[in-house]
Amino acid sequence: EDFYGSLNTMYHVGLHSGKSVHKLNAMLVDLDYYKINAFKDLNAEQIIGLLEQELDYLTPSYYIDSGRGLYIIWLLEDTYATRKSKSYWTKIEKTLIEVFKNFGADEKVHDVARVIRIIGSVNSKTGKEVRVIESPYLLNGSVAKRYEMGDIAEYFWGSRELFYLQGHYVTFKTVENFC
């Protein structure tokens, strides 16, 4: 019951902090859709169907039923965790949370040392097993897709960079609308 692990590689086992992250392996959205009245009686597969109908987002590597909510995971190509790459990762994470907020994206889940429930473990709050629901790529018999962080940023921001405008970070799409 309730086994957790980090998506990102740590330097030392048991040392759980952003400073301990060695490699960035994935981006994550943790959907607590059960907290939203309109979605609380739906299962993870039904939520995926709604997401695919309602939102424009980059196809994830995996959807995982956390036993109560839904993890949406985009695997990353080899990315060493430098101060700059961790900052970039966090900005992209915050964008992902914003994109999925109406479906219960947990706003606290944007740190590089984040742990999630391990597949095959049991969520003690519900008694349900954590399981992979689907990987759009595995359905074709191929391996799960991995992304460069810049590709994810470009998909959502229209650029690989955020711009600083009038005291705020903004996306290229926002800058176009502003000018």
Side-chain angles (χ1 to χ4, degrees), residues 3-89:
F3 286 106
Y4 297 88
S6 177
L7 288 173
N8 296 318
T9 307
M10 303 287 184
Y11 279 113
H12 305 287
V13 175
L15 198 56
H16 179 76
S17 76
K19 291 178 182 178
S20 301
V21 174
H22 174 60
K23 288 179 93 179
L24 302 171
N25 301 317
M27 309 289 312
L28 161 76
V29 173
D30 181 2
L31 289 186
D32 295 334
Y33 64 86
Y34 59 90
K35 293 181 178 178
I36 299 174
N37 283 336
F39 305 139
K40 68 180 180 183
D41 294 326
L42 301 180
N43 64 35
E45 287 87 349
Q46 291 169 315
I47 293 297
I48 293 169
L50 284 174
L51 292 171
E52 291 174 346
Q53 286 176 5
E54 301 294 324
L55 297 178
D56 176 20
Y57 62 99
L58 196 61
T59 303
S61 304
Y62 294 104
Y63 292 104
I64 297 174
D65 182 340
S66 69
R68 192 170 181 191
L70 179 69
Y71 299 138
I72 305 171
I73 296 175
W74 294 265
L75 296 177
L76 298 175
E77 293 290 348
D78 265 356
T79 306
Y80 285 95
T82 63
R83 184 177 301 148
K84 186 175 179 180
S85 67
K86 287 189 275 189
S87 174
Y88 192 54
W89 185 96

